[in-house]
Amino acid sequence: MSGRWRVDPSEVLPHDHLILETATQRLALNDARRFGSVDLLATTALADFPAFKALGPEPLGPELTAAYLHAALAGRIASIKLLLLDQRIVAGLGNIYVCEALHLAGISPKRGGGELSRAKLERLVAAIRSVLLSAIEAGGSTLRDYARPDGELGYFSKQFLVYGREGQPCACGGTVARYAEGGRSTFWCPKCQR
């Protein structure tokens, strides 16, 4: 996604669509593509906020378990890749992190979600957490214009195992491939992801 929060900007830039000022700080939401939105509501109303109420569990929270995924995916024939991008199943997973997690778990993105065993789902949950924690530690993934609020870039893109690496070697000796599904590019290794 594009867009970013800027902390204590010295000037207002084009595409600064919201500026919040407190006694000690100024925040600017800069989003050229206008994907972001801001809703103001009381903290006590968060649990009932429609946009949050429809979300699946947080990927780093205790609710994301193999048992939860097994139940959520039961009978689903759509690809695991598309199902993981569905925010109603798991909140907050994006294309990059799903590709990387499926690779780390050794699961083909083309597999039907409902056909994955508990053992594969255990590996998948562990891989999702590992990928996200690594990405957080690296400050995110800067591909084009992403920057953290302090202006620093995200360096997780330097650790990609499959994302954006079509035609390059995989650590297993295979070759990273790409295909499009649901309007998104999927990167994977046909040799080690089954």
Side-chain angles (χ1 to χ4, degrees), residues 136-148:
I136 290 167
E137 187 174 316
S141 302
T142 296
L143 297 180
R144 285 184 219 105
D145 66 348
Y146 169 77
R148 298 186 321 217

Side-chain angles (χ1 to χ4, degrees), residues 28-185:
L29 176 61
N30 186 281
D31 189 3
R33 294 169 65 190
R34 295 184 185 233
F35 280 130
S37 68
V38 176
D39 293 287
L40 184 63
L41 57 143
T43 303
T44 56
L46 284 175
D48 293 322
F49 187 56
F52 290 162
K53 204 169 187 165
L55 293 175
E58 289 288 327
L60 295 176
E63 296 85 15
L64 182 63
T65 64
Y68 163 78
L69 279 180
H70 189 262
L73 302 175
R76 305 290 295 265
I77 59 172
S79 75
I80 186 62
K81 164 76 184 306
L82 290 181
L83 291 169
L84 289 175
L85 290 174
D86 184 337
Q87 302 300 295
R88 296 168 298 182
I89 295 174
V90 181
L93 291 180
N95 194 42
I96 291 170
Y97 304 112
V98 170
C99 288
E100 292 293 312
L102 287 169
H103 179 264
L104 191 58
I107 298 170
S108 169
K110 296 180 178 186
R111 293 279 302 267
E115 69 183 58
L116 294 175
S117 69
R118 287 272 182 125
K120 285 188 185 276
L121 293 173
E122 291 283 353
R123 288 198 325 259
L124 180 57
V125 169
I128 288 169
R129 289 192 173 118
S130 176
V131 165
L132 290 178
L133 290 172
S134 293
I136 290 167
E137 187 174 316
S141 302
T142 296
L143 297 180
R144 285 184 219 105
D145 66 348
Y146 169 77
R148 298 186 321 217
D150 63 4
E152 281 293 312
L153 301 178
Y155 294 100
F156 186 64
S157 57
K158 306 290 185 214
Q159 300 174 37
F160 289 167
L161 299 174
V162 290
Y163 190 83
R165 297 189 65 237
E166 180 182 14
Q168 296 180 35
C170 176
C172 75
T175 302
V176 175
R178 184 190 77 80
Y179 69 93
E181 180 180 32
R184 309 299 302 263
S185 286

